[in-house]
Amino acid sequence: MRALAETRGFGQAWDLLFHPPVAHRGLWRPDGPPENSLGAFQAACAAGYGIELDVQLSADGEAIVFHDDSLKRMTGVEGRIRDRTAAELAELRLAGSDEKIPTLLETLALVGHRAMVHIELKTPYGEVGPLEQRVHEVIADHNGPLCVIGFNPYSHAWFADRYPGVLRGLDSYSYAKAPHMTDAQRRAFAALEHVEIARPHFLALGLDMLPSARAAELRGQGMPVVAWTVREPAQWDAVKAGCDNLIFEGFAPGKDGPA
């Protein structure tokens, strides 16, 4: 896998796919910095972990770091990210803390070279393009290690066609609960048939679809597998033989890579 990566020229970002483990939405805690906050990203950097975060577009086209479509759970305010400007979102606070909703630009400026950043694009189907373009504008000026991830295979294809030098990881899971899909689509995505559309460099797979014979086959061809979201050591023990790294929360895994 390393030789394959060197021909692609990903360098340090490729190496950091394998270790250290990646903190899901930053190193957040119920009694500490909230998820997807600058405090959680600072904590992950200080602890020596990688960072996974979520991005979506504000009403004025900024890449905002936030997971949910609705603002309610994390801010107590009704409405959606996409219906407010970046300036309006900056006035809100996360989970009763002093932490604001950060932009991707602010986040990468904070992280710098200190951590590998997995940027999950929350692109709805049929809306590929605007978020991808803004994310690329931001990451083009960042010289630290990063990759883009996400569930929408057409988002990956957008990057593959325009910016093939960006490291990409396709998110997938069992799709057992995917009301927006037909039964045939669920089966196809669970079988990783959409890999052909996405053309990723690695896979980020939910625990509900591991182990996977198809993922094992692709891994044998040089496509690493990262497991998510691992919330206790026993979950990692159950899948690590077929995986190359983990995205975690709720515990502190070792930082030397899969054991």
Side-chain angles (χ1 to χ4, degrees), residues 1 21 35 62 67 78 81 95-96 105 115 119 134 137 153-154 166 173 178 186 200 206 229 248-249:
M1 287 186 285
E35 67 178 56
E62 188 55 84
H67 177 269
E78 298 290 346
I81 289 284
L105 186 62
I119 302 169
R134 180 53 186 156
E137 290 168 358
Y154 301 99
V166 176
Y173 66 113
R186 290 191 196 100
T229 299
F248 73 93
E249 68 179 35

Side-chain angles (χ1 to χ4, degrees), residues 49-50 71 80 103 174 259:
Y49 293 119
L71 289 161
R80 302 181 301 175
T103 65
S174 70

